[in-house]
Amino acid sequence: MARGKLRIYLGAAPGVGKTYAMLSEAHRRVERGTDVVVAFVEHHGRPRTEVMLHGLEQIQRRELDYRGTRFTEMDVDAVLARKPAVALVDELAHTNVPGSRHEKRWQDIEVLLEAGIHVISTVNIQHLESLGDVVESITGVRQRETVPDEVVRRAEQIELVDMSPQAIRRRMAHGNIYQSDKVDAALSNYFRPGNLTALRELALLWVADRVDEYLQEYRAEHSIRSTWQARERIVVGLTGGPEGRTLIRRAARMAAKGSGSEVLAVYIARSDGLTSASPKELAVQRTLVEDLGGTFHHVIGDDIPSALLEFARGVNATQIVLGSSRRKTWQYVFGPGVGATVARDSGPDLDVHIVTHEEVAKGRGLPVTRGARLGRARIIAGWLAGVVGPVLLSLLLTGIENGPGLANDVLLFLFLTVVAALLGGQLPALASAAVGSLLLNFYFTPPTHTLTVSDPKNIVAIVIFFAVAVSVASVVDLAARRTHQAARLRAESEILSFLAGSVLRGETTLTALLERVRETFGMDTVALLERSSDVDPWTCAGRVGGLNEARPLLRPEDADVDMPVSDHMALALTGRVLPAEDRRVLAAFAAQAAVVLDRQRLVGEAERARELAEGNRIRTALLAAVSHDLRTPLASIKASVTSLRSDDVAWSPEDEAELLAGIEAGADRLDHLVGNLLDMSRLQTGTVTPLIREIDLDEVVPMALGGVPEDSVTLDIPEELPMVAVDPGLLERSVANLVENAVKYSPDGEGVLVAASALGDRVELRIADRGPGVPDSAKDRIFEPFQRYGDVPRGAGVGLGLAVARGFAEAMGGTLAAEDTPGGGMTMVLTLRAAAGRPPVRPDLPAQATT
């Protein structure tokens, strides 16, 4: 009997529609004539899901008694007896009630699959066993019901049911997932936007890995060797040398630029076991790559470039990262090296990155015009071919009886001269021409073994041979010089392009620019010196490198290279003397350094001007507040006192009480306004010094509600919350301002909810109102001083309450942000640090979230 096939609908969180999608698929199959039954589906009271069960045959569930409560589970025997073509079994990770046939529901499904029944099931990403710790760190909830990853991976089909976090929260607020009494708690804890976004990313990445497995199987079955660049895979070639750590970190940075990228480090050892790699260094590099989220691989192969390319294509890699060769220059005589070979043979489907490191060079110096342009190894080879080659050729030809003849002898010597020119340039070719001419004259031109030439034709042949050799050497040398000039000009153009781009973007700091100068020219120290006048001493505006050098760099004259920028500014460098041709690029760097310095100073002046403007704005607003908002309660107090002191009016006890109440209310309002003004002044001057100590929220929050009516606020602060590390006075003032603001904007008859919850090492206090709310564009602006949103009357305050609340929250190491209240209104979220002395209590997830 053929084994049944398993299809799974995978979701990121409860409520994304997995069960609904499964039932929709069941209806489609029924319409096609497939025998489908519902073995177990839980709709959790969701009307839309419950409606989808209509028209489908349902197997009677098995009832079990456990600890005095009656439960229902899937009746496996009944499903086997019915033997449908397809069975719907919801909640793959469910734990069965004791007394069931198996402990886990996925074990029941295995029985159905072995019986040849196809099964369609559902599971959430948080229930995968391997992701338990990750999910707990994100949500603060440890999943009690899990399913082994292998069970899900064995499914023939895995379909992701996706939904944005905003859509899930809207469904939650509308009561489509949980009952109304659990909505607020769920939105404030498990169903937070950050949690849902992280779980969604986990689900997408997990499904992407499964898709990648399918792709690898397909490529293997069809013997596809070319790379399919479906996702970025970066292979790092390691040699066991110290540069490996640099390569791994560089590859990790490349992978971080693209979501879902993967790093694979590979070390290729020879089959004979001979290696120069350090086992200790390889162990360190293995640990490093694994810490960065990559994998380490050990491969055997005698041909390292071929083995590396074979491995890269085998894992469907898109990029290869290699380090510049650590070999000495003369060692290139034995071959071009691994990096060059891999780059040559990689083909169009693999990008090869050659990364420099400290083992190769100290800087990125421009090509110099002095010295050998063709490389030491090529010049040595050219001299060998030009001097030793003709001697060996003469010995060979003289050993042949009745040799090939003078004409052919000349061509053979000319060939060696051309080889010497191609390898070593002009001088080896000229030497080859001279040596070849002498050998031709002495051994092969009659009369032989003398330097005399009897036939004029032979003289012409030797002269033409020498002329051709010199011409070839000159052409090769000219080509080498032109190539070198082109490389130098290209390097200069790249540097100048970088400078021009940085000027346009304004993104280069002075320190970064000076460091670029030091690296480009391979210098020890680079400093930008300036002075106010010709008689003032030089001062250092910026400096990199050589901080501990014995020779201080106090004047441009103390440097090995100085480049004047202006009459009173110069760029000074120490380390070596630069050739004249490098000073053109250095002048561009110097001019750019002056521009960057001026820009930094202008930015600083602009910041100071902004601070002065902000201070002026606050002072202006303060004067306006004093002239109006503070005078209003004073006028009320003055009027009430004058009335009470009037001798010509007999006030009744009720009137006197009303006037005294007005005086008290005006004094309280005046005290509140002055308190906010003083608090804002302390925040502006940076004189707020919080006294942090550990305290329970339920000791502070009730004290902050004294300024609002008793029936206007509902408190929900669990007793098991961890203590918070705060300044009680600052916290009380912040909460008081937030609650007063929420009560002010709440409609009549609508209370304000003050709820607290713990998540990881944080405690959140949420103040939710049902007022008009604030659009996203204004959520940050409402925390600015002297800002009042909407049509609030002038007498309602000076607009400092939220600014003071956020300032105090940040002074205590917390945060304050505004969110929309589901169903309308605004929620202020005050996040505080949990005390280190008591571990935070993780809230249990509602029962429905485990399904």
Side-chain angles (χ1 to χ4, degrees):
M1 179 182 300
R3 176 182 169 88
K5 295 181 179 179
L6 175 61
R7 177 172 182 170
I8 294 178
Y9 286 92
L10 176 68
V16 296
K18 304 179 303 299
T19 304
Y20 190 93
M22 178 180 67
L23 294 174
S24 299
E25 175 64 20
H27 280 285
R28 285 192 292 270
R29 297 198 182 194
V30 169
E31 292 174 359
R32 295 196 301 264
T34 306
D35 182 17
V36 180
V37 300
V38 177
F40 187 96
V41 170
E42 185 63 65
H43 56 75
H44 297 295
R46 300 166 187 168
R48 295 178 181 272
T49 305
E50 187 176 2
V51 169
M52 293 297 294
L53 287 170
H54 297 167
L56 297 176
E57 178 185 349
Q58 301 186 44
I59 301 295
Q60 185 69 31
R61 299 184 184 182
R62 181 184 179 188
E63 295 185 354
L64 297 169
D65 290 327
Y66 180 67
R67 294 183 178 179
T69 305
R70 200 160 189 81
F71 298 91
T72 61
E73 295 287 359
M74 179 176 66
D75 193 337
V76 180
D77 295 328
V79 178
L80 293 174
R82 171 64 174 77
K83 198 171 178 55
V86 179
L88 307 184
V89 184
D90 206 3
E91 301 174 2
L92 180 65
H94 174 75
T95 301
N96 293 328
V97 175
S100 301
R101 182 169 179 174
H102 298 100
E103 179 185 359
K104 293 286 189 177
R105 183 164 293 166
W106 64 265
Q107 296 172 325
D108 295 337
I109 292 176
E110 284 293 320
V111 175
L112 300 183
L113 295 174
E114 290 295 335
I117 300 174
H118 302 318
V119 177
I120 304 178
S121 186
T122 63
V123 70
N124 285 329
I125 191 66
Q126 69 262 26
H127 295 302
L128 295 182
E129 199 169 76
S130 64
L131 300 178
D133 294 337
V134 178
V135 173
E136 183 181 9
S137 66
I138 293 172
T139 65
V141 178
R142 184 66 183 184
Q143 297 297 327
R144 296 184 297 270
E145 294 183 332
T146 60
V147 59
D149 290 43
E150 185 59 29
V151 174
V152 182
R153 288 184 178 275
R154 285 201 303 264
E156 275 70 20
Q157 297 183 58
I158 300 176
E159 184 170 335
L160 178 65
V161 183
D162 190 25
M163 184 178 291
S164 69
Q166 294 78 11
I168 297 177
R169 287 174 59 84
R170 283 196 299 269
R171 292 194 65 200
M172 176 71 70
H174 295 159
N176 294 334
I177 300 178
Y178 292 164
Q179 297 179 1
S180 58
D181 59 337
K182 298 180 179 179
V183 170
D184 289 338
L187 289 175
S188 301
N189 292 282
Y190 192 84
F191 286 83
R192 298 153 59 90
N195 292 357
L196 296 176
T197 302
L199 292 174
R200 187 187 191 193
E201 183 180 16
L202 278 179
L204 291 171
L205 292 176
W206 196 92
V207 173
D209 287 338
R210 182 64 180 130
V211 171
D212 187 65
E213 292 178 8
Y214 284 130
L215 179 62
Q216 295 295 346
E217 293 175 2
Y218 179 86
R219 284 164 48 84
E221 292 173 358
H222 294 78
S223 301
I224 298 175
R225 303 296 299 164
S226 61
T227 299
W228 289 1
Q229 299 185 5
R231 63 184 295 189
E232 291 292 339
R233 279 190 180 85
I234 304 173
V235 171
V236 184
L238 301 178
T239 64
E243 78 279 3
R245 305 182 198 182
T246 302
L247 303 183
I248 293 171
R249 293 189 180 97
R250 182 70 180 91
R253 292 197 298 271
M254 294 168 58
K257 295 179 180 179
S259 179
S261 300
E262 186 178 0
V263 176
L264 303 93
V266 57
Y267 170 71
I268 300 175
R270 297 186 182 277
S271 58
D272 56 10
L274 299 178
T275 177
S276 59
S278 168
K280 182 179 179 180
E281 183 63 27
L282 280 178
V284 172
Q285 294 174 14
R286 175 193 290 270
T287 303
L288 176 61
V289 71
E290 291 174 351
D291 290 342
L292 294 175
T295 56
F296 185 91
H297 305 268
H298 198 130
V299 178
I300 303 299
D302 292 327
D303 188 349
I304 293 179
S306 299
L308 181 60
L309 289 171
E310 187 74 16
F311 174 84
R313 293 192 174 99
V315 299
N316 201 28
T318 58
Q319 302 181 57
I320 297 177
V321 175
L322 299 173
S324 298
S325 178
R326 290 183 292 139
R327 298 191 302 172
K328 299 293 184 181
T329 304
W330 61 268
Q331 292 177 306
Y332 282 96
V333 175
F334 303 103
V338 174
T341 305
V342 171
R344 181 191 63 199
D345 300 336
S346 61
D349 54 348
L350 273 174
D351 296 333
V352 180
H353 303 267
I354 305 297
V355 178
T356 58
H357 46 83
E358 293 181 353
E359 301 299 318
V360 176
K362 296 295 183 181
R364 297 174 296 184
L366 292 171
V368 296
T369 56
R370 307 179 307 274
R373 303 184 183 94
L374 298 177
R376 183 182 304 174
R378 286 187 60 178
I379 292 177
I380 293 175
W383 280 103
L384 291 176
V387 177
V388 180
V391 174
L392 297 178
L393 179 60
S394 299
L395 295 176
L396 177 64
L397 293 178
T398 54
I400 300 175
E401 186 177 357
N402 299 325
L406 181 60
N408 292 326
D409 294 338
V410 171
L411 291 177
L412 291 175
F413 277 95
L414 182 60
F415 172 76
L416 288 179
T417 303
V418 172
V419 171
L422 293 176
L423 291 176
Q426 189 174 25
L427 292 180
L430 293 176
S432 177
V435 174
S437 301
L438 293 175
L439 293 176
L440 281 172
N441 187 4
F442 190 80
Y443 287 105
F444 306 104
T445 304
T448 59
H449 300 95
T450 65
L451 295 179
T452 303
V453 180
S454 59
D455 190 348
K457 295 180 180 180
N458 294 335
I459 297 177
V460 174
I462 294 175
V463 170
I464 292 176
F465 162 75
F466 187 82
V468 170
V470 171
S471 300
V472 171
S474 300
V475 170
V476 171
D477 184 71
L478 179 62
R481 285 190 284 110
R482 293 290 183 265
T483 302
H484 170 74
Q485 292 173 359
R488 178 179 180 81
L489 291 175
R490 178 179 178 181
E492 290 184 2
S493 64
E494 289 178 354
I495 292 174
L496 295 176
S497 175
F498 163 78
L499 290 177
S502 64
V503 170
L504 295 176
R505 294 187 297 268
E507 61 185 17
T508 302
T509 64
L510 180 61
T511 302
L513 182 64
L514 297 180
E515 182 64 29
R516 176 84 180 193
V517 174
R518 190 175 72 87
E519 292 181 357
T520 299
F521 296 98
M523 308 301 286
D524 296 332
T525 307
V526 178
L528 184 63
L529 305 177
E530 63 175 349
R531 58 181 178 179
S532 302
S533 64
D534 294 337
V535 297
D536 291 329
W538 291 91
T539 60
C540 182
R543 173 187 176 124
V544 295
L547 298 180
N548 298 321
E549 64 179 6
R551 184 180 66 176
L553 192 57
L554 302 178
R555 302 176 305 166
E557 294 80 5
D558 298 332
D560 295 321
V561 180
D562 69 286
M563 175 59 63
V565 181
S566 63
D567 292 339
H568 302 129
M569 184 178 292
L571 189 66
L573 301 88
T574 63
R576 64 187 179 92
V577 178
L578 291 180
E581 57 267 21
D582 284 346
R583 296 181 66 86
R584 179 175 55 182
V585 178
L586 183 61
F589 271 112
Q592 175 66 2
V595 172
V596 171
L597 180 61
D598 290 341
R599 183 189 297 120
Q600 287 183 354
R601 290 174 174 172
L602 290 175
V603 170
E605 293 177 1
E607 181 63 23
R608 288 190 292 272
R610 189 195 66 79
E611 293 176 356
L612 291 175
E614 180 67 15
N616 289 334
R617 187 184 72 83
I618 291 178
R619 282 191 290 272
T620 302
L622 179 60
L623 290 175
V626 171
S627 64
H628 184 278
D629 295 287
L630 297 182
R631 291 181 63 184
T632 300
L634 284 174
S636 175
I637 294 172
K638 176 67 175 177
S640 298
V641 171
T642 302
S643 299
L644 289 173
R645 289 174 56 88
S646 177
D647 296 332
D648 55 350
V649 179
W651 301 102
S652 65
E654 292 80 5
D655 292 336
E656 290 183 357
E658 184 177 353
L659 290 172
L660 290 174
I663 293 174
E664 184 179 10
D668 290 341
R669 182 177 166 194
L670 187 62
D671 178 70
H672 180 73
L673 292 175
V674 172
N676 275 337
L677 287 171
L678 292 176
D679 290 339
M680 197 67 229
S681 175
R682 292 167 60 199
L683 289 171
Q684 291 288 336
T685 56
T687 58
V688 176
T689 305
L691 302 176
I692 303 298
R693 66 185 182 91
E694 298 180 0
I695 193 170
D696 287 318
L697 278 180
D698 54 9
E699 297 181 24
V700 179
V701 175
M703 299 173 60
L705 307 182
V708 297
E710 293 183 1
D711 57 348
S712 62
V713 178
T714 302
L715 280 179
D716 181 13
I717 302 180
E719 295 182 357
E720 65 272 10
L721 277 180
M723 301 177 72
V724 292
V726 297
D727 183 315
L730 298 184
L731 177 60
E732 179 183 348
R733 193 58 182 268
S734 297
V735 175
N737 285 351
L738 294 175
V739 172
E740 290 176 8
N741 184 78
V743 172
K744 181 196 310 180
Y745 285 96
S746 294
D748 294 338
E750 292 285 349
V752 173
L753 174 63
V754 179
S757 60
L759 184 65
D761 59 350
R762 306 183 304 276
V763 175
E764 285 191 351
L765 188 67
R766 307 174 76 88
I767 298 93
D769 63 63
R770 292 293 179 179
V774 175
D776 293 339
S777 59
K779 281 187 171 63
D780 287 332
R781 194 169 65 250
I782 61 176
F783 292 103
E784 296 177 2
F786 302 104
Q787 295 290 326
R788 290 180 292 191
Y789 180 72
D791 55 352
V792 180
R794 288 287 300 173
V798 294
L800 288 177
L802 295 182
V804 170
R806 171 175 274 190
F808 283 172
E810 293 177 348
M812 295 183 293
T815 60
L816 177 62
E819 295 181 357
D820 292 330
T821 302
M826 186 171 65
T827 299
M828 291 293 176
V829 183
L830 179 60
T831 304
L832 305 170
R833 291 183 292 111
R838 183 191 302 178
V841 178
R842 302 190 183 278
D844 290 333
L845 188 66
Q848 291 93 330
T850 63
T851 61

